[in-house]
Amino acid sequence: RKCMSMSKSNPSLAAAFSLREYSQMKRRVPIERASSSQDIMVFEEIDRLGGNGARRQKQAEEYLKKKAIEDRVMLQEQKAEEQKKRGRRRELEAKRNRQKQEAEAKQCAEEERLHREKEYREDQERQATEHERLLKEQERQMWVARQPGTCGTCTGDGVCRNCEGKGEIYAVFLSKNVSKEAARNFGRKAQGCERCGGCAQNIVGKVKQGSGQCPDCNGRGKVWPAAAFEQKSARPKFRSSGFSNNQGDATPKAMASPKLFPRS
């Protein structure tokens, strides 16, 4: 007790015992005011009917009117708030729908772009494949056109058609006088086949037989076409078409020079 009485002599310690009063005095905390009796007044149905006096009835009616107005205002505010909430929900839903539609449209556009790119690549591949096929076909046709063909004179057997491969033919020499001398010098005599390289010596001279081979193909049965003697035109490069020169003696390098064969 002595200590407490001594501490009250100090203003700061004295204020510590009543902080609320000190703060209100320094105006740091607003002063609490007692609520009016009307704010805490509660009216019942009997008050409205006048069971507790006319003054009480009038206060109850004013209170109820004011409360009805406040309820209507509050209801209107609640309705307005609900409408705002519904509007915000609609806006949010519309925004979500727009975003969804935009995402779907973007995805469709991306899929369409990828589809177009795929079709373009496939079309390019088809064009490249067709171009390569045409080049290969052209190369094959040119290769076939430059290959030797069957000789039209001997039909491929290489035999001279004039002497049937014998190298000689017979000719008849007539004499104006019939005698033993004429029989030795005239009559049916063998002659070399000029068609296959022989020599027709007539009555006198030694028989020079021909080769008996077809002169158009030198007995090979095939002749080179005119395309084999033409200069090759420049063509686009492409991979090997599979038509190689593995044809044995059917090429100019393997056979004799095409100059040895007459052109068809």
Side-chain angles (χ1 to χ4, degrees):
R1 290 180 182 179
K2 184 177 180 181
C3 184
M4 290 177 63
S5 61
M6 288 178 65
S7 63
K8 289 182 179 179
S9 62
N10 193 343
S12 60
L13 294 177
F17 287 94
S18 182
L19 294 178
R20 181 173 295 278
E21 293 179 359
Y22 179 78
S23 298
Q24 290 178 355
M25 182 180 63
K26 294 297 184 179
R27 295 183 180 181
R28 295 179 181 178
V29 177
I31 301 175
E32 296 181 355
R33 297 180 181 179
S35 301
S36 62
S37 60
Q38 187 176 0
D39 294 338
I40 61 176
M41 191 176 297
V42 178
F43 298 97
E44 299 178 354
E45 184 65 20
I46 191 172
D47 296 328
R48 188 182 67 80
L49 297 175
N52 291 327
R55 182 171 175 274
R56 186 78 176 178
Q57 182 181 10
K58 184 177 180 181
Q59 291 178 351
E61 290 177 352
E62 291 178 357
Y63 173 77
L64 292 175
K65 288 180 182 179
K66 183 178 179 182
K67 189 173 184 303
I69 294 172
E70 291 177 355
D71 291 343
R72 285 196 298 272
V73 172
M74 185 179 297
L75 183 61
Q76 291 176 357
E77 290 178 354
Q78 290 178 355
K79 289 182 178 180
E81 186 67 22
E82 289 293 331
Q83 290 179 356
K84 289 181 181 179
K85 289 181 179 180
R86 286 195 295 269
R88 286 195 294 268
R89 283 196 296 268
R90 286 194 296 268
E91 291 178 358
L92 185 61
E93 187 68 21
K95 183 177 180 181
R96 288 201 194 98
N97 292 335
R98 286 196 303 271
Q99 291 177 351
K100 183 178 179 181
Q101 291 175 359
E102 290 176 358
E104 290 177 354
K106 187 175 181 180
Q107 183 178 0
C108 290
E110 182 68 16
E111 291 178 356
E112 183 67 21
R113 184 184 65 83
L114 295 176
H115 182 66
R116 287 197 301 268
E117 289 181 356
K118 182 179 179 181
E119 287 184 346
Y120 177 76
R121 288 194 301 269
E122 291 177 353
D123 185 63
Q124 292 294 319
E125 291 177 359
R126 283 195 298 269
Q127 291 182 3
T129 304
E130 181 65 16
H131 182 64
E132 178 119 359
R133 187 189 68 80
L134 292 176
L135 287 178
K136 290 180 180 180
E137 182 65 20
Q138 181 183 7
E139 179 72 11
R140 188 190 70 83
Q141 292 177 359
M142 294 178 65
W143 179 85
V144 171
R146 297 177 68 86
Q147 300 309 303
T150 302
C151 178
T153 302
C154 63
T155 64
D157 58 3
V159 177
C160 177
R161 287 288 178 264
N162 190 34
C163 63
E164 297 299 331
K166 297 178 181 179
E168 61 182 17
I169 58 175
Y170 287 90
V172 177
F173 298 94
L174 300 177
S175 175
K176 62 181 179 177
N177 296 322
V178 178
S179 63
K180 293 181 179 181
E181 178 99 12
R184 286 196 304 270
N185 296 327
F186 294 92
R188 190 169 180 266
K189 300 290 186 179
Q191 304 288 314
C193 179
E194 295 180 345
R195 180 69 177 160
C196 58
C199 180
Q201 78 282 355
N202 294 326
I203 296 176
V204 296
K206 187 177 180 180
V207 177
K208 183 179 180 182
Q209 294 182 343
S211 63
Q213 299 177 349
C214 177
D216 291 342
C217 62
N218 286 349
R220 295 182 179 271
K222 292 186 177 182
V223 292
W224 290 101
F229 299 90
E230 296 176 358
Q231 185 177 3
K232 294 183 180 180
S233 59
R235 296 187 301 277
K237 293 183 179 180
F238 56 92
R239 295 191 301 271
S240 175
S241 60
F243 294 97
S244 60
N245 291 333
N246 298 327
Q247 301 294 333
D249 56 352
T251 59
K253 291 183 178 180
M255 299 176 63
S257 173
K259 295 183 180 179
L260 299 178
F261 296 86
R263 302 183 184 182
S264 59

